């Protein structure tokens, strides 16, 4: 029933010239059909318990790291099968979406391994796998390209992965304004083969983020953007405009930014449970006036398909 309804919705969207981006995680859940049907694909012991689990090391989002708890892949086994399971998975998601973004694309190059049973991610370590060069098919058409989340990777490694894979990299404006160094997230450093986000589901809204960033970084953003006199109402649009005016092939803006909402509209707090994914767009919030403003900006920046 879900697939029937989804295919009808997708067909309607496509008829209107709208393509749908699907976001899939690199990992699957421990209690998923995948682990039940194919335990040999994962790092399990003889009792089908994980030997280690996935996550991320301590970073700006979390002092103790992110303990996701997903089973890790046996990449050597996947390689011996020609990455058959991954190719089947991708073949399926491309039936659901026009474009696919794989969350935590870095996991195809190296993965963070945390001892099973640990309560935090602090004792984890990185393991090299280099699987991504073989597991993901090359881009063959504009309707089948893969966005890769690479936030948190050193610039040199990120650049290498983008160039070798050919997939568009990911730029996040909220990571750009570090007054201590010049970031490759600043728009003047972009190449066309990238996707720019004002912020992702893991970020606060522009207004929420702007007033908790350091004073030095905020002053740097004003100097870079030349918007020291912008009001709170116009501030999110400064970032939206900057993303759309960049050379990035695709610019993504959460609806909260168009509406000028604050932290109360944040989607997700990484490494936390129980208070996420609750924000909803309410009837009447997306007005004809707002639609006209968005339409005009996409016209000015040549982001409307002719």
């Amino acid at each position: 029933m879900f697939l029937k309804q989804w295919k009808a919705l997708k067909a309607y969207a496509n008829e209107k010239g709208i393509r749908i981006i699907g976001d899939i995680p690199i990992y699957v859940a421990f209690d998923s059909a995948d682990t039940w049907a194919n335990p040999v694909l994962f790092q399990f012991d003889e009792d089908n318990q994980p030997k280690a689990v996935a996550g991320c090391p301590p970073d700006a989002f979390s002092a103790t790291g992110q303990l996701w708890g997903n089973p890790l892949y046996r990449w050597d086994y996947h390689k011996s099968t020609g990455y058959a399971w991954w190719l089947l998975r991708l073949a399926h998601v491309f039936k659901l979406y026009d474009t696919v973004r794989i969350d935590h694309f870095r996991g195809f190059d190296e993965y963070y391994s945390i001892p099973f049973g640990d309560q935090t991610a602090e004792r984890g370590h990185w393991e090299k796998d280099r699987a991504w060069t073989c597991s993901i098919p090359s881009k063959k058409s504009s309707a089948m390209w893969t966005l890769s989340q690479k936030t948190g990777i050193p610039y040199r490694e990120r650049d290498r992965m983008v160039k070798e894979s050919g997939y568009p990299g990911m730029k996040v404006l909220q990571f750009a304004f570090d007054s201590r160094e010049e970031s490759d997230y600043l728009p003047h450093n972009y190449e066309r083969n990238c996707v720019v986000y004002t912020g992702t589901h893991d970020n606060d809204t522009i207004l929420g983020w702007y007033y908790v960033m350091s004073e030095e970084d905020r002053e740097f953003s004003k100097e870079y953007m030349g918007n020291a006199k912008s009001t709170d109402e116009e501030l999110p649009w400064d970032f939206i405009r900057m993303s759309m005016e960049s050379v990035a092939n695709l610019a993504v803006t959460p609806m909260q930014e168009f509406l000028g909402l604050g932290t109360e509209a944040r989607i997700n707090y990484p490494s936390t449970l129980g208070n996420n994914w609750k924000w909803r767009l309410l009837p009447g919030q997306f007005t004809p006036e707002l639609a006209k403003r968005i339409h005009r900006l996409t016209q000015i920046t040549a982001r409307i398909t002719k």
Side-chain angles (χ1 to χ4, degrees):
M1 179 57 69
F2 169 79
L3 287 175
K4 180 180 179 180
Q5 294 177 345
W6 174 256
K7 289 179 179 178
L9 174 62
K10 183 178 181 298
Y12 174 79
N14 289 164
E15 287 172 3
K16 300 295 184 181
I18 297 170
R19 293 189 299 165
I20 295 177
I21 299 176
D23 187 292
I24 69 166
I26 187 172
Y27 295 118
V28 299
F30 179 40
D31 60 354
S32 66
D34 294 292
T35 56
W36 171 79
N38 301 288
V40 70
L41 301 176
F42 304 92
Q43 295 181 22
F44 290 159
D45 62 20
E46 58 276 8
D47 296 319
N48 282 337
Q49 292 295 306
K51 297 178 180 179
V53 294
C56 277
D59 59 14
F61 281 127
S62 174
T64 59
Q66 298 181 40
L67 178 63
W68 301 335
N70 304 83
L72 294 168
Y73 295 111
R74 285 181 56 199
W75 285 115
D76 56 342
Y77 183 83
H78 284 265
K79 184 177 181 180
S80 72
T81 67
Y83 300 95
W85 179 85
W86 265 104
L87 295 177
L88 285 171
R89 186 185 187 195
L90 289 170
H92 175 69
V93 297
F94 276 122
K95 294 177 181 178
L96 302 176
Y97 316 118
D98 301 296
T99 301
V100 175
R101 172 187 174 273
I102 300 179
D103 193 26
H104 195 60
F105 192 78
R106 183 183 187 178
F108 289 111
D109 187 55
E110 58 182 351
Y111 61 89
Y112 194 66
S113 177
I114 305 167
F116 180 58
D118 278 17
Q119 298 303 303
T120 71
E122 295 169 281
R123 292 201 310 131
H125 67 279
W126 289 104
E127 291 275 355
K128 204 73 175 173
D129 57 67
R130 294 290 289 166
W132 61 276
T133 54
C134 301
S135 59
I136 310 295
S138 298
K139 180 178 70 173
K140 297 300 182 183
S141 72
S142 61
M144 233 187 219
W145 38 291
T146 305
L147 316 182
S148 51
Q149 185 195 32
K150 301 190 181 73
T151 53
I153 309 176
Y155 297 156
R156 189 172 300 173
E157 283 295 292
R158 185 166 60 238
D159 289 344
R160 175 184 61 79
M161 290 176 68
V162 169
K163 289 177 181 177
E164 290 184 12
S165 70
Y167 300 125
M170 186 172 167
K171 308 291 186 180
V172 182
L173 286 180
Q174 288 193 31
F175 296 155
F177 296 99
D178 188 336
S179 56
R180 299 167 298 178
E181 61 182 4
E182 181 173 324
S183 169
D184 70 345
Y185 287 122
L186 288 169
H188 70 269
N189 288 321
Y190 293 177
E191 296 179 352
R192 286 193 176 276
N193 189 33
C194 72
V195 180
V196 58
Y197 291 70
T198 53
T200 74
H201 58 280
D202 284 337
N203 294 105
D204 202 345
T205 65
I206 293 294
L207 284 181
W209 158 78
Y210 190 76
Y211 290 108
V212 297
M213 65 193 300
S214 72
E215 182 66 27
E216 294 79 12
D217 292 350
R218 186 161 53 250
E219 289 303 313
F220 172 56
S221 77
K222 291 178 183 178
E223 185 178 14
Y224 185 87
M225 300 172 66
N227 68 337
K229 296 183 179 180
S230 288
T231 64
D232 283 358
E233 183 179 356
E234 289 300 317
L235 189 66
W237 285 91
D238 293 340
F239 287 86
I240 295 168
R241 178 181 293 274
M242 184 167 58
S243 71
M244 288 194 179
E245 288 178 344
S246 74
V247 298
N249 278 335
L250 181 64
V252 179
T253 301
M255 180 58 71
Q256 295 96 312
E257 312 303 1
F258 289 122
L259 295 172
L261 301 178
T263 300
E264 75 280 357
R266 181 171 182 167
I267 288 287
N268 185 54
Y269 292 82
S271 197
T272 66
L273 296 172
N275 196 38
N276 298 316
W277 303 98
K278 292 184 176 181
W279 184 81
R280 296 292 184 271
L281 182 67
L282 300 177
Q285 282 187 290
F286 189 61
T287 64
E289 292 74 22
L290 179 56
K292 289 179 181 178
R293 186 174 185 181
I294 295 172
H295 183 265
R296 181 56 182 155
L297 183 56
T298 54
Q299 276 186 323
I300 292 172
T301 55
R303 291 190 176 275
I304 290 181
T305 301
K306 294 182 181 179

